[in-house]
Amino acid sequence: MDKSKSVLVVTIFIFMMVKSFASSIYEKNCLSCHSKMPVKIDKFFYRYLLKYSSEMRVKEALVDYLKNPKKEKSVLQEELLARFGVKKPTTLNDKELKEAVDEYWEIYKVFDKLKGTPKNP
Amino acid sequence: MLKSWDTNLLSSEKKTLFSFFLLYLFFVLILLFILGYLYYNFQKDLVLQKYRIELNRLANEQVFRLKRLHRNFDKQRVYPRDKRFESAIYDSSFKKIFSTFKNSKIDFNRVIYIKNKKVYYIKELESYYLGTKYLVLQVDEDDSWVDRALKNMLLSGVVIFFIMMVFGYFLLWLMLKPMRDAIELLDRFIKDTTHELNTPINAIMSNIEMLERANLDEKVVKKIKRIDIAARTVSNLYQDLTYLTLGHKIVSYDEMVDLKKLLCERLEYFSLFSKSKKIKIKTELKEGVFLKIDIKKVTKLIDNLLSNAIKYNRVSGNIKVTLANNFIEIADSGMGIPQEKLKFITKRYTRANESVGGFGIGLNIVMMIANEYDLKVEITSKEGEWTKVKVFW
């Protein structure tokens, strides 16, 4: 192994270390699992929004479900739930979970995302 | 009926009627106000009801668009607009998600309301598309109904007001009928009686005049004098009553009256009366003072003042009669009039002192005549000492 190659490997390793360190709990925990699923995580978000409306209530419901998933509390359709099976309770502690949910909200919330059209001339 | 009833009402009764009328007017106005208020609100509700149906339809359309947007939110993020209305969406914590109009405060307690010429309609969603719990629609208010409602209110208000006034007049008329009947009866009674009095009094007076007093015994003469005084008193009363019942119907024949001559004549007429009370009469009468007036009426006026001055005087009192260029003054040393009664003394049936007989109509007649000829009457008095009546022109 020549020197330059090992330098590259070390650089990549450090780079990956830094990246994984810099990436958030949400990306590490939630996305790592969800990105493999055929239904994207944003669909789940908008289902929560549809059912719970305000930021506070959406977050409450999310935390509640993730900590203690139950068939009756799920917002998924029966077929989907049957296909995936009810998920396991989260391994994150309360603080980490809150951070993850907050980020989840920030990414998909509707506020400031809607565009107005100029008034009809 | 001799006179129209209203001229027979005393001013205190008129006052009562007036306050009744004011009260009635007040209640009618309050009633109209309440009716107007109810009508206005009713119209407003009607208009809002119409808006409500229309706006609900539009809101449903908008909800449908929101639903579509919610489904495709990963691809499409343009808020749906409709040129028929402005709209806004709020989440369940009343936080604004998006709005196409500038208005901060929305009253979420109401379904529909009008503020600043805009109609707001708030629809609560069952599924919270994009987190929307409340959809608010805003349209310009078409306020032509206000003008129409106000016009209707004014028109029907005036009509109802007139009907109520006519009704009030009728009510008043009903209320007054017993009083009017009583007054009419009294008037007729007095008229009839006075008419019947006239002939006997005249007979007594003319027969006393015809008596040959020289041949009579001193004692008899004295008695005859007394009869004469009594007859004259009744005659005066008779004239007063005729004046009161017929007063306004008597046509005046105005002529230049020599007041000194008239005053002397009347003093002479009352001399028996005053002598019987040992009253000393002083006069200060200017020559050549004339007044254009009905002689019967001015006689009535003077007679009443003189007879009061004698009647309310004490025994061996004084009377001073003054005639000047612009006034007649009759002052007596009688019992006077209490200060608090001075104001009312000219009213009919008011007497300064209940101990002396009379109907209390004398000064009332004086005032009636004075008013007819624009004469001013000034009564001053010190209770228990004197009374001065000054008639000036």
Side-chain angles (χ1 to χ4, degrees), chain B residues 114-119 139-143:
Chain B
I114 295 174
K115 201 171 131 191
N116 298 335
K117 294 196 173 266
K118 304 268 190 206
V119 185
V139 293
D140 290 331
E141 182 199 4
D142 170 20
D143 58 0

Side-chain angles (χ1 to χ4, degrees), chain B residues 201-214:
Chain B
I201 291 170
N202 275 340
I204 296 169
M205 295 215 298
S206 51
N207 279 295
I208 290 173
E209 248 164 58
M210 283 187 294
L211 277 178
E212 290 285 345
R213 298 189 195 188

Side-chain angles (χ1 to χ4, degrees), chain A residues 24-72:
Chain A
S24 65
I25 299 166
Y26 169 72
E27 282 168 16
K28 273 192 302 191
N29 185 286
C30 318
L31 277 191
S32 63
C33 188
H34 272 271
S35 56
K36 292 178 215 133
M37 283 169 64
V39 180
K40 291 276 156 292
I41 195 167
D42 63 331
K43 289 288 176 206
F44 296 153
F45 181 86
Y46 292 115
R47 283 187 172 270
Y48 269 83
L49 202 56
L50 187 69
K51 191 169 172 193
Y52 297 102
S53 183
S54 72
E55 176 177 353
M56 206 179 78
R57 294 187 52 198
V58 166
K59 284 181 175 175
E60 262 173 27
L62 277 172
V63 168
D64 181 52
Y65 187 83
L66 293 173
K67 278 167 85 170
N68 187 14
K70 283 258 168 59
K71 201 176 164 209
E72 312 82 62

Side-chain angles (χ1 to χ4, degrees), chain A residues 42-43 46-47 49-55 57 105 107-120, chain B residues 69-71 73-74 77-79 81 83 86 89-93 95-98 127-133:
Chain A
D42 63 331
K43 289 288 176 206
Y46 292 115
R47 283 187 172 270
L49 202 56
L50 187 69
K51 191 169 172 193
Y52 297 102
S53 183
S54 72
E55 176 177 353
R57 294 187 52 198
W105 169 268
I107 292 169
Y108 297 109
K109 67 171 186 184
V110 174
F111 292 98
D112 307 325
K113 292 224 178 66
L114 277 170
K115 284 182 295 236
T117 45
K119 252 195 147 169
N120 303 42
Chain B
L69 186 63
H70 181 96
R71 290 239 178 90
F73 198 64
D74 42 352
R77 292 191 169 179
V78 179
Y79 182 81
R81 262 185 195 274
K83 58 173 174 288
E86 300 291 331
I89 50 180
Y90 287 79
D91 71 14
S92 63
S93 61
K95 196 173 164 196
K96 183 159 78 187
I97 301 168
F98 193 82
S127 300
Y128 308 144
Y129 303 116
L130 301 175
T132 305
K133 179 158 190 195

